[in-house]
Amino acid sequence: MTDIKDAVVLVTGANGGLGREFVHQALARGAAKVYASARTPRPAQDWGDERIVPLALDVTDPESVAKAAAEAADVTVVINNAGASTGASLLADLDAARTLFDTNFWGQLQVANAFAPVLAANGGGALLNVLSVLSWLGIADAYSATKAAFWSATNTQRLALAEQGTQVVGLHLGYTDTPMTAGIEAEKNDPADVVAAAYDGLVAGAAEVLADETSRQVKAGLAAPVEVLYAPFAG
């Protein structure tokens, strides 16, 4: 288990709805410092809290990731939140799908690999990967594939980083009210509820957090025949 109180937290994709919530709730739980990272981070004055340190970090650029890891060498908790949804298809433009994988999969691995030694040096700490209920459902085409790959990688990281004392948590959630889902007509989670569940799970020592009923139902349904799991989505 990892306590947020007095922790030094790094949040990737901190400009987005879920990212901002991760930043604010870390501070509310007593974090000593939060690196709010993004390709173009918000200026410090926009955050209004001296404990928030803007950090330039482009997850698709290895040099940017390495530079961020060197600058934020005191991090004890990494929130791997950056992601994209572009509508790319595995059945059409594979170049677009590869670009999406660069952000949602390879970029996340670059962040984890760069900060794993930092976490080890600071006592182990924690890595929380933001996944999705679509990790288990291929209904979002290339996006689902990126999250499925990231889920598998998260499980590998959990085993590999246990020896250095790093807690690895996978966060699964359904549609949540953020800019990424603005065009989707569906019932959506409140980002505050999702982030609260994520931090609660982290503190409790969880390996996986299912942040909503949709995620819990789909995870339970994975044991069913695939035609049963996908029946609600059949045309």
Side-chain angles (χ1 to χ4, degrees), residues 117-168:
V118 174
L119 295 176
N122 294 326
L127 169 68
L128 186 145
N129 291 335
V130 178
L131 303 168
S132 171
V133 68
L134 297 172
S135 305
W136 305 315
L137 289 172
I139 62 173
D141 209 321
Y143 180 84
S144 289
T146 65
K147 290 299 185 178
F150 193 24
W151 176 45
S152 180
T154 298
N155 295 330
T156 297
Q157 290 168 339
R158 185 177 300 113
L159 297 173
L161 298 181
E163 186 175 350
Q164 69 174 41
T166 298
Q167 177 188 358
V168 177

Side-chain angles (χ1 to χ4, degrees), residues 9-60:
V9 181
L10 169 81
V11 179
T12 69
N15 288 354
L18 208 59
R20 287 196 301 271
E21 196 64 42
F22 271 115
V23 171
H24 290 306
Q25 288 198 32
L27 295 176
R29 290 171 182 253
K33 181 193 295 185
V34 180
Y35 290 100
S37 76
R39 183 179 287 112
T40 304
R42 293 171 61 188
Q45 60 267 26
D46 286 2
W47 287 104
D49 192 309
E50 63 182 12
R51 292 173 295 169
I52 300 176
V53 179
L55 182 68
L57 197 169
D58 179 352
V59 301
T60 67

Side-chain angles (χ1 to χ4, degrees), residues 64-75:
S64 173
V65 174
K67 185 172 184 291
E71 292 180 7
D74 53 348
V75 164

